[in-house]
Amino acid sequence: MAAELVNVGKGELAATIEKGGVAELIKPLTKDIRLLNTYVAGTTHIRDKALLDAITVGDILKTQREDNRFDRKAILLLNQDGRKVGYIPEKDNTVLAALMDAGKLLKAKVTKVSSAGQFKNIAIEVELVDF
């Protein structure tokens, strides 16, 4: 379905906000712009391996800036429950952190999941949610 504006009456507006939130109202106005392909860094430090095992292709990971003493530009990746999955790699986070610091919304879409022994490799596509 193409992005389109929908005429919502006064009574329907409150119901739409209550039902799906403001996100549902602006969804037709958003466009995802692919910025780069990378991977989830730091998965070896996640203690709950079941959390990583539950990640599948197509999952959307939330991005969140983190005050981190090792990396001033750290960007956390969180699953839909808000649990830490890992980070955007430091080599890729300079421009992404600047975008987020300027108020831009980023998300990461899982494109591939593979395992090598105990190591879980999660490939992601980072997108800018443009309004």
Side-chain angles (χ1 to χ4, degrees), residues 35-36 75 88 92-101 106 126:
L35 299 178
L36 67 107
I75 301 173
I88 298 284
D92 294 326
N93 69 9
T94 301
V95 171
L96 301 178
L99 286 168
M100 291 181 75
D101 292 347
L106 303 180
V126 179

Side-chain angles (χ1 to χ4, degrees), residues 65-113:
R65 290 283 275 123
E66 180 185 66
D67 184 18
N68 185 309
R69 64 184 172 131
F70 300 108
D71 180 5
R72 293 178 312 132
K73 299 175 291 298
I75 301 173
L76 271 171
L77 292 168
L78 309 168
N79 70 4
Q80 291 302 310
D81 296 328
R83 296 182 63 197
K84 179 179 172 179
V85 173
Y87 293 89
I88 298 284
E90 187 174 4
K91 69 178 185 64
D92 294 326
N93 69 9
T94 301
V95 171
L96 301 178
L99 286 168
M100 291 181 75
D101 292 347
K104 301 300 181 186
L105 176 63
L106 303 180
K107 67 180 181 180
K109 186 186 309 178
V110 176
T111 57
K112 184 178 178 183
V113 179

Side-chain angles (χ1 to χ4, degrees), residues 33-85:
I33 301 169
R34 186 180 67 203
L35 299 178
L36 67 107
N37 292 314
T38 189
Y39 60 93
V40 178
T43 56
T44 55
H45 301 292
I46 302 299
R47 293 178 191 222
D48 183 2
K49 299 304 179 192
L51 175 70
L52 297 176
D53 290 338
I55 294 175
T56 60
V57 172
D59 284 355
I60 301 297
L61 303 177
K62 300 174 192 176
T63 59
Q64 179 179 305
R65 290 283 275 123
E66 180 185 66
D67 184 18
N68 185 309
R69 64 184 172 131
F70 300 108
D71 180 5
R72 293 178 312 132
K73 299 175 291 298
I75 301 173
L76 271 171
L77 292 168
L78 309 168
N79 70 4
Q80 291 302 310
D81 296 328
R83 296 182 63 197
K84 179 179 172 179
V85 173

Side-chain angles (χ1 to χ4, degrees), residues 119-130:
F119 181 73
K120 184 71 84 172
N121 184 20
I122 303 169
I124 56 173
E125 181 176 274
V126 179
E127 298 176 336
L128 169 70
V129 179
D130 190 32

